[in-house]
Structures are given as C-alpha cells and as structure tokens.
Amino acid sequence: MTSLADLKSMVQAEVGRLLAPRGYKLVKSDSALRRSTPLGWWELHLAFIYHKPVDVDVFPSVGARFDAVQDVLFEGDVASKGGRGTMTIGATFGNIAGGGVIDWTVASAADVPRVAKEVVEAFDRIGQPYLLKYAEPAAVLEKLLGTDPDAWHLWPDAIGMRCRALALAYVLEKHELIEPIIARSEAERAKDPNLPRFRALAERIRAKRGGLR
C-alpha cells in the first residue's frame, strides 16, 4: 500500500512534470511550483491534509512575489532575508473562484495522474488569470487602495493588506500615498491587535524618507 506521504510526493512530482514546459520548477520543501518573473516569481502552492490512513486532500493556491516589496516588509528581520519564500499576494483556488473550497482527494497511486491533470486545468482556469491580473505591482496597489470587497483575495488579513499597500507605495515611489495610507490604517484599524506591526513598518519607511510626512 502506498503511504500518504508517498502520494503527496507523487502529486507534487506529476504536477511539476506537467508545468515544467512552462518554466515552473518544483520546490519540494515548500510544496510549491515556482516560475521566475522579472520582479520575483509566481507560485502554485499545493497544501495537503492527511486523513490517516485512508487518503489525502490537495488544496491548491497561487501567489506572486515581488522581491522589492518583500525586502521592505522583512527588513531588519535577521531570521528572514526578504522573507525568503514569502509571497506578496496569494489566494486559494476556492477563494478566487468565489465558490467555496476547491480540493481533490487522492486515495491511491491510481488517482495521481487524474488529480494532477485536473489541478493543472484548474490552475489554467482560475490561478493563471489571477496571476496575470496582478502581474504588475501597480495593479495590486490600486486594488488594495480601492473599495472592492474582494480585495482580501490579495491577502487574508487586514493589517497584512495595509502593510503591502504601504510597501508598494514606497517601492513604486508613490510617496504622496504613504501618509494617507498610514492615516487611514490608524483610523480604520485602531483596535486591531496587529496594528503595531503596521506601525513598525510605517516608521521604517518614514526613516528611509528622512522623516518626511
């Protein structure tokens, strides 16, 4: 009987084989397929949930990394140079599609080719359009600063979204947006327990700009 860990490895390898012609490489330690871009990389991430000893569920998500943004977000963190494998934006297939959870169950080696094929088909239908839509940092910043209720598709928590908007404004040299982003965040997220994380980033960015307000 094939172990659940082996089934996971087989799914990773088969999805990697299918996406290799497009420039995606398997990073097995992160359970991700990554393709380099001029600004960082795109990622198809495969999360696995074991139902021992019966089967394993596969939950795909996609993300995009902008190296310059991650460098700003993680500056000063001695444990993480630019956040290493972190994403700037990302969402599960289910959240992007707006139709609930999207996953696949793998119970045996015989399921692997079909599941891998269907995951890649869903990536083409759901994940790839998302990556193309937000391929440019300016498009991400515009979405984060807008009022669309689906902006949380870019990042699942409010302070994380505000941090990304602030870092993007700095990286894109949209300096006129920095103080309004800070003021809005202070007003709207005053009771958020994660607000100190945003404030620390805001102070680092102000320091980089010579304390300008």
Coordinates of all heavy atoms in Angstrom, one line a residue, residues 44-49 56-62 91-106 114-115 117-127 153:
L44 N 2.5 28.2 -7.7 CA 1.4 27.3 -7.5 C 1.7 26.5 -6.2 O 2.7 25.7 -6.3 CB 1.1 26.4 -8.7 CG 0.1 25.2 -8.4 CD1 -1.3 25.8 -8.0 CD2 0.0 24.3 -9.6
H45 N 1.0 26.7 -5.2 CA 1.3 26.0 -3.9 C 0.3 24.9 -3.7 O -0.9 25.1 -4.0 CB 1.2 27.0 -2.7 CG 1.5 26.3 -1.4 ND1 0.5 25.9 -0.6 CD2 2.7 26.0 -0.8 CE1 1.1 25.3 0.5 NE2 2.4 25.4 0.4
L46 N 0.7 23.7 -3.3 CA -0.1 22.6 -3.0 C -0.1 22.3 -1.5 O 0.9 21.8 -1.0 CB 0.4 21.4 -3.8 CG 0.4 21.6 -5.3 CD1 1.1 20.3 -6.0 CD2 -0.9 21.9 -5.9
A47 N -1.2 22.5 -0.8 CA -1.3 22.1 0.6 C -2.0 20.8 0.7 O -2.9 20.4 -0.2 CB -2.2 23.2 1.3
F48 N -1.6 20.0 1.6 CA -2.1 18.6 1.8 C -2.6 18.4 3.2 O -2.0 18.8 4.2 CB -1.0 17.6 1.5 CG -0.5 17.6 0.1 CD1 0.5 18.5 -0.3 CD2 -1.0 16.7 -0.8 CE1 0.9 18.5 -1.7 CE2 -0.6 16.7 -2.1 CZ 0.4 17.6 -2.6
I49 N -3.8 17.8 3.3 CA -4.3 17.4 4.6 C -4.5 15.9 4.6 O -5.2 15.3 3.7 CB -5.7 18.1 4.8 CG1 -5.5 19.6 4.9 CG2 -6.3 17.6 6.1 CD1 -6.7 20.4 5.2
V56 N -5.5 11.5 1.2 CA -5.0 12.9 1.4 C -5.7 13.8 0.5 O -6.0 13.5 -0.7 CB -3.5 12.9 1.2 CG1 -3.1 12.5 -0.2 CG2 -2.9 14.3 1.5
D57 N -6.1 15.0 1.0 CA -6.7 16.1 0.2 C -5.7 17.1 -0.3 O -4.7 17.4 0.5 CB -7.8 16.8 1.0 CG -9.0 15.9 1.2 OD1 -9.2 14.9 0.5 OD2 -9.8 16.2 2.1
V58 N -5.8 17.6 -1.5 CA -4.9 18.5 -2.1 C -5.7 19.9 -2.3 O -6.7 19.9 -2.9 CB -4.4 18.1 -3.5 CG1 -3.4 19.0 -4.0 CG2 -3.9 16.6 -3.4
F59 N -5.1 20.9 -1.7 CA -5.7 22.2 -1.7 C -4.8 23.2 -2.5 O -3.8 23.6 -1.9 CB -6.0 22.8 -0.3 CG -7.1 22.1 0.4 CD1 -6.8 20.9 1.1 CD2 -8.4 22.5 0.5 CE1 -7.7 20.2 1.8 CE2 -9.4 21.8 1.2 CZ -9.0 20.7 1.8
P60 N -5.0 23.6 -3.7 CA -4.1 24.5 -4.4 C -4.4 25.9 -4.1 O -5.5 26.3 -3.9 CB -4.4 24.1 -5.9 CG -5.4 23.0 -5.9 CD -6.0 23.0 -4.6
S61 N -3.3 26.7 -4.2 CA -3.4 28.2 -4.2 C -2.4 28.7 -5.1 O -1.4 28.0 -5.5 CB -3.2 28.7 -2.7 OG -2.0 28.3 -2.2
V62 N -2.5 30.0 -5.4 CA -1.5 30.7 -6.2 C -1.0 31.9 -5.5 O -1.8 32.5 -4.7 CB -2.0 31.1 -7.6 CG1 -2.1 29.8 -8.5 CG2 -3.3 31.8 -7.6
A91 N -3.9 33.5 -2.9 CA -5.2 33.1 -2.5 C -5.4 31.7 -3.0 O -4.8 31.2 -3.9 CB -6.3 34.0 -3.1
T92 N -6.3 31.0 -2.3 CA -6.7 29.6 -2.7 C -7.6 29.7 -4.0 O -8.2 30.7 -4.3 CB -7.5 28.9 -1.6 OG1 -8.7 29.5 -1.4 CG2 -6.7 28.8 -0.3
F93 N -7.6 28.6 -4.7 CA -8.5 28.5 -5.9 C -9.9 28.8 -5.5 O -10.7 29.5 -6.2 CB -8.4 27.1 -6.5 CG -7.2 26.9 -7.3 CD1 -6.1 27.7 -7.3 CD2 -7.0 25.7 -8.1 CE1 -4.9 27.5 -8.0 CE2 -5.9 25.5 -8.9 CZ -4.9 26.4 -8.8
G94 N -10.4 28.2 -4.3 CA -11.7 28.4 -3.9 C -12.1 29.8 -3.6 O -13.1 30.3 -4.0
N95 N -11.2 30.6 -3.0 CA -11.4 32.0 -2.7 C -11.5 32.8 -4.0 O -12.3 33.7 -4.1 CB -10.4 32.5 -1.7 CG -10.6 32.1 -0.3 OD1 -11.7 31.7 0.1 ND2 -9.6 32.2 0.5
I96 N -10.6 32.5 -4.9 CA -10.5 33.3 -6.1 C -11.8 33.1 -6.9 O -12.4 34.0 -7.4 CB -9.3 32.9 -7.0 CG1 -8.0 33.2 -6.3 CG2 -9.4 33.5 -8.4 CD1 -6.8 32.7 -6.9
A97 N -12.2 31.8 -7.0 CA -13.4 31.5 -7.8 C -14.7 31.9 -7.1 O -15.8 32.0 -7.7 CB -13.5 30.0 -8.0
G98 N -14.6 32.1 -5.8 CA -15.8 32.5 -5.0 C -16.9 31.5 -4.8 O -18.0 31.8 -4.5
G99 N -16.5 30.2 -4.9 CA -17.5 29.1 -4.8 C -17.2 28.2 -3.7 O -17.6 27.0 -3.8
G100 N -16.5 28.5 -2.7 CA -16.2 27.6 -1.6 C -14.9 26.9 -1.8 O -14.1 27.2 -2.7
V101 N -14.7 25.8 -1.1 CA -13.5 25.0 -1.1 C -13.3 24.3 -2.4 O -14.3 23.7 -2.9 CB -13.4 24.0 0.0 CG1 -12.2 23.1 -0.1 CG2 -13.4 24.8 1.4
I102 N -12.1 24.3 -3.0 CA -11.8 23.5 -4.2 C -10.6 22.7 -3.8 O -9.5 23.1 -3.5 CB -11.4 24.4 -5.4 CG1 -12.7 25.2 -5.8 CG2 -10.9 23.6 -6.6 CD1 -12.4 26.2 -7.0
D103 N -10.8 21.3 -3.8 CA -9.8 20.4 -3.5 C -10.0 19.1 -4.2 O -11.0 18.9 -4.8 CB -9.7 20.2 -2.0 CG -11.0 19.5 -1.4 OD1 -12.1 19.7 -2.0 OD2 -10.9 18.8 -0.4
W104 N -9.0 18.2 -4.1 CA -9.0 16.9 -4.7 C -8.6 15.9 -3.6 O -7.7 16.2 -2.8 CB -8.1 16.8 -5.9 CG -8.6 17.5 -7.1 CD1 -9.3 17.0 -8.2 CD2 -8.5 18.9 -7.4 NE1 -9.6 17.9 -9.1 CE2 -9.1 19.2 -8.6 CE3 -8.0 20.0 -6.7 CZ2 -9.2 20.4 -9.2 CZ3 -8.1 21.3 -7.3 CH2 -8.7 21.5 -8.5
T105 N -9.2 14.7 -3.7 CA -8.8 13.6 -2.8 C -8.0 12.6 -3.6 O -8.4 12.1 -4.7 CB -10.1 13.0 -2.2 OG1 -10.8 14.0 -1.4 CG2 -9.7 11.8 -1.3
V106 N -6.9 12.2 -2.9 CA -6.1 11.1 -3.5 C -6.0 10.0 -2.5 O -5.6 10.1 -1.4 CB -4.6 11.6 -3.8 CG1 -3.8 10.6 -4.4 CG2 -4.7 12.9 -4.6
R114 N -4.9 11.6 -12.7 CA -6.1 12.4 -12.9 C -6.1 13.6 -12.1 O -6.4 14.7 -12.6 CB -7.3 11.5 -12.6 CG -8.6 12.3 -12.6 CD -9.8 11.4 -12.0 NE -9.5 10.9 -10.7 CZ -9.7 11.7 -9.6 NH1 -10.1 12.9 -9.7 NH2 -9.5 11.1 -8.4
V115 N -5.8 13.5 -10.8 CA -5.8 14.7 -9.9 C -4.8 15.7 -10.4 O -5.1 16.9 -10.5 CB -5.5 14.2 -8.5 CG1 -5.2 15.5 -7.6 CG2 -6.7 13.4 -7.9
K117 N -3.7 16.3 -13.4 CA -4.2 16.9 -14.6 C -5.3 17.9 -14.3 O -5.3 19.0 -14.8 CB -4.7 15.8 -15.5 CG -5.4 16.3 -16.8 CD -5.7 15.1 -17.7 CE -6.4 15.5 -19.0 NZ -7.7 16.1 -18.8
E118 N -6.2 17.5 -13.4 CA -7.3 18.4 -13.0 C -6.8 19.6 -12.3 O -7.4 20.7 -12.4 CB -8.3 17.7 -12.2 CG -9.1 16.6 -13.1 CD -10.1 15.8 -12.3 OE1 -10.3 16.1 -11.1 OE2 -10.7 14.9 -12.9
V119 N -5.8 19.5 -11.4 CA -5.2 20.6 -10.7 C -4.6 21.6 -11.7 O -4.8 22.8 -11.6 CB -4.1 20.2 -9.7 CG1 -3.3 21.3 -9.2 CG2 -4.8 19.4 -8.5
V120 N -3.9 21.1 -12.7 CA -3.3 22.0 -13.7 C -4.4 22.7 -14.6 O -4.3 23.8 -14.9 CB -2.3 21.2 -14.6 CG1 -1.9 22.1 -15.8 CG2 -1.1 20.8 -13.8
E121 N -5.5 21.9 -14.9 CA -6.6 22.5 -15.6 C -7.2 23.6 -14.8 O -7.6 24.7 -15.3 CB -7.6 21.4 -16.0 CG -7.1 20.5 -17.0 CD -8.1 19.3 -17.2 OE1 -9.0 19.1 -16.4 OE2 -8.0 18.6 -18.2
A122 N -7.4 23.4 -13.5 CA -7.9 24.5 -12.6 C -7.0 25.7 -12.5 O -7.4 26.8 -12.4 CB -8.3 23.9 -11.3
F123 N -5.7 25.4 -12.5 CA -4.7 26.4 -12.5 C -4.8 27.3 -13.7 O -4.8 28.5 -13.6 CB -3.3 25.8 -12.4 CG -2.2 26.8 -12.6 CD1 -1.9 27.7 -11.6 CD2 -1.5 26.9 -13.8 CE1 -0.9 28.7 -11.8 CE2 -0.4 27.8 -14.0 CZ -0.2 28.7 -13.0
D124 N -5.0 26.7 -14.9 CA -5.2 27.4 -16.1 C -6.5 28.3 -16.1 O -6.5 29.4 -16.6 CB -5.3 26.5 -17.3 CG -3.9 25.9 -17.6 OD1 -2.9 26.4 -17.2 OD2 -3.9 24.8 -18.3
R125 N -7.5 27.7 -15.5 CA -8.8 28.4 -15.5 C -9.0 29.4 -14.4 O -9.6 30.5 -14.6 CB -9.9 27.3 -15.3 CG -11.3 27.8 -15.4 CD -12.3 26.6 -15.3 NE -12.3 26.0 -14.0 CZ -11.8 24.8 -13.7 NH1 -11.2 24.1 -14.6 NH2 -11.9 24.3 -12.5
I126 N -8.3 29.2 -13.2 CA -8.5 30.1 -12.1 C -7.2 30.8 -11.6 O -7.2 32.0 -11.4 CB -9.0 29.2 -10.9 CG1 -10.4 28.6 -11.2 CG2 -9.2 30.1 -9.6 CD1 -10.8 27.5 -10.2
G127 N -6.1 30.0 -11.5 CA -4.9 30.6 -11.0 C -4.2 31.5 -11.9 O -3.7 32.6 -11.6
H153 N -8.8 38.9 -1.5 CA -8.2 37.9 -2.3 C -6.7 38.0 -2.4 O -6.0 37.1 -2.7 CB -8.9 37.8 -3.7 CG -10.3 37.3 -3.7 ND1 -11.1 37.4 -4.8 CD2 -11.0 36.8 -2.7 CE1 -12.3 36.9 -4.5 NE2 -12.3 36.5 -3.3

